[in-house]
């Protein structure tokens, strides 16, 4: 066996399986710099698909893309010291330029609130300047000290961060939800990952925010992963950065702000959720290659005719907007190619052998179920189009079923601990809304409250920790 195939099964050693899938499929690789990764062609193409979909949706709702510098003067970070407190150990600094020590250290952005809002203060004068709705695609740096995990924990990663300013709280509230809904659409309809949505608790929210909303997905090992977050910043930053506007009534007011982001972590989630023992399984809507055509020549006989037919089908698919590739490499056997494209997660394989040629058909093999069907030549474009949709749906439904089966409602702390240990997943439980209980639970079990549902659910028991009256039904989990 070459170094191509996976040597562990997903169900046996999940963590090792994950790393092997990512590296062997050539999605990504470790970089020669500690804690950093290389986004290879395949993962970058997936990221571009996500970018395309997201750009279209935010532009349709009046947002524009910009680019701010990656260096942030230390004094900017100090203006909003409160929200930054816990994060200081993760900030990387530039202290010298060439051979000249800098007068003021420069942070390499861990997030861009401060540099953008220092500029917003300059740009905003009157209500006519509002709203400002900007987004940027960039990388950020956070000096992680825990073990590197490709896509999930690296010192530099790619993301988008959106930053808006509004005249009223209501407008900012709406913005927060508009973006969260766009996130949900991308994550569920493109990445085929079902999520639960809600608010973060005071403990778990971004400290610079009035409130934080989030989308959380469930990984096969029972741990939750945050897929995107959208914050109502209130006037916290506008007061720190002095972002004021003259309102229609001639009164000066501080703007209301939001910030929101998702990162390349979501590619890691997609690998974990849909991948199998053969490798990656890509949802058709983010797959850079949706169908691969493999001619199967048989002892020279017909091989020219088969290749010609394969080409013809390839052209037809391409003309109809399907991302197809013709694998006519003669240095590899069909079997070898099957393995390679399965490892790379291509949704549909189209085989054309002597029998197919004779019967004027092709054989479609789907990556998600391995099912094979013969399709009449004139039906191929239709069949592939339909099958891509079906695979997209099937991946989502499978993940949705897993999510639903792994939300467990518990009444007591004993049940809570047992479920966490034996099953994992989201644990639905009643809570008194006191941070002290939340912290104790985290200390004792490692589980945190992932979301408080937007629509308050009816309590059905006392607080699982203190036994007092419960105020909220919340969803706990251990998280990445
Ligand atoms: C790490 C070091 C320094 C997260 C950090 O969620 C600062 C920070 O401010 C930091 N890690 N955060 C919070 C980021 C808030 C917000 N920014 C825009 C987002 C989404 C995108």
């Amino acid at each position: 066996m070459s170094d191509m195939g996976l040597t562990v099964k997903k169900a046996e050693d999940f963590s090792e399986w994950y790393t092997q899938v990512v590296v062997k499929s050539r999605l990504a690789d470790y970089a020669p710099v500690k804690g950093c990764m290389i986004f290879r062609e395949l993962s970058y193409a997936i990221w571009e698909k996500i970018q395309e979909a997201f750009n279209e949706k935010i532009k349709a709702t009046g947002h524009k893309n910009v680019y701010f510098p990656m260096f942030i003067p230390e004094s900017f970070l100090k203006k909003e010291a409160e929200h930054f407190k816990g994060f200081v150990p993760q900030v990387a600094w530039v202290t010298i330029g060439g051979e000249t020590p800098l007068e003021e250290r420069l942070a390499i952005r861990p997030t861009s609130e401060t540099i953008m809002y220092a500029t917003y203060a300059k740009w905003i004068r009157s209500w006519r300047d509002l709203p400002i709705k900007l987004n940027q695609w960039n990388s950020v740096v956070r000096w992680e000290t825990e073990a590197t995990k490709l896509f999930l924990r690296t010192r530099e990663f790619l993301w988008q961060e959106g930053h808006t300013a509004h005249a009223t709280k209501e407008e900012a509230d709406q913005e927060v939800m508009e973006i969260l809904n766009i996130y949900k659409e991308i994550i569920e309809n493109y990445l085929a990952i079902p999520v639960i949505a809600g608010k973060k608790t005071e403990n778990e929210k971004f400290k610079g925010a009035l409130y934080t909303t989030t989308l959380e997905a469930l990984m096969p090992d029972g741990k939750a992963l945050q897929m995107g977050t959208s914050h109502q910043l209130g006037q916290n930053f506008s007061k720190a950065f002095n972002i004021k506007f003259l309102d229609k009534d001639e009164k000066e007011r501080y703007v209301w702000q939001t910030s929101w982001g998702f990162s390349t972590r979501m590619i890691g989630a997609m690998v974990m959720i849909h991948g199998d023992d053969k490798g990656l399984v890509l949802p058709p809507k983010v797959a850079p290659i949706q169908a691969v055509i493999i001619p199967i020549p048989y002892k020279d006989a017909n091989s020219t005719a088969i290749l010609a037919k394969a080409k013809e089908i390839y052209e037809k698919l391409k003309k109809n907007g399907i991302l197809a590739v013709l694998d006519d490499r003669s240095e590899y056997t069909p079997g070898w190619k099957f393995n390679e494209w399965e490892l790379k997660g291509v949704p549909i394989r189209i085989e054309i052998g002597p029998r197919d040629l004779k019967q004027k058909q092709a054989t479609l093999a789907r990556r998600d179920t391995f099912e094979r069907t013969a399709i009449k030549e004139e039906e191929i474009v239709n069949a592939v189009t339909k099958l891509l949709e079906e695979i997209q749906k099937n991946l989502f439904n499978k993940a949705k079923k897993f999510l639903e089966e792994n939300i467990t409602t518990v009444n007591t702390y004993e049940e809570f601990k047992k479920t966490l240990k034996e099953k994992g997943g989201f644990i639905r439980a009643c809570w008194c809304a006191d941070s002290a209980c939340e912290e104790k639970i985290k200390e004792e079990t490692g589980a945190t409250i992932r979301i408080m549902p937007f629509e308050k659910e009816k309590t059905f028991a006392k607080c699982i920790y203190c036994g007092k009256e419960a105020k909220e039904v919340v969803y706990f989990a251990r998280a990445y």
Side-chain angles (χ1 to χ4, degrees), residues 132-184:
I132 289 192
K133 303 208 284 185
L134 302 181
N135 176 67
Q136 64 178 6
W137 295 95
N138 53 278
S139 76
V140 284
V141 170
R142 296 176 184 174
W143 215 252
E144 298 286 350
T145 49
E146 278 182 65
T148 303
K149 198 151 177 91
L150 297 170
F151 295 110
L152 301 179
R153 201 187 303 113
T154 54
R155 287 180 171 170
E156 183 189 20
F157 55 88
L158 306 179
W159 77 353
Q160 60 67 219
E161 50 178 318
H163 296 271
T164 69
H166 309 264
T168 65
K169 173 166 190 300
E170 291 65 40
E171 259 183 69
D173 284 333
Q174 277 167 24
E175 172 75 17
V176 168
M177 285 314 295
E178 178 170 79
I179 293 297
L180 200 74
N181 287 330
I182 293 177
Y183 284 170
K184 192 169 151 89

Side-chain angles (χ1 to χ4, degrees), residues 83-84 87-88 90-91 110-113 141-142 159-163 206 226 229-231 259-262:
H83 100 262
F84 244 56
F87 294 132
V88 169
Q90 282 200 327
V91 178
T111 182
S112 302
E113 273 82 357
V141 170
R142 296 176 184 174
W159 77 353
Q160 60 67 219
E161 50 178 318
H163 296 271
F206 171 38
Q226 180 176 296
T229 180
S230 179
H231 311 285
S259 79
W260 25 274
F262 67 65

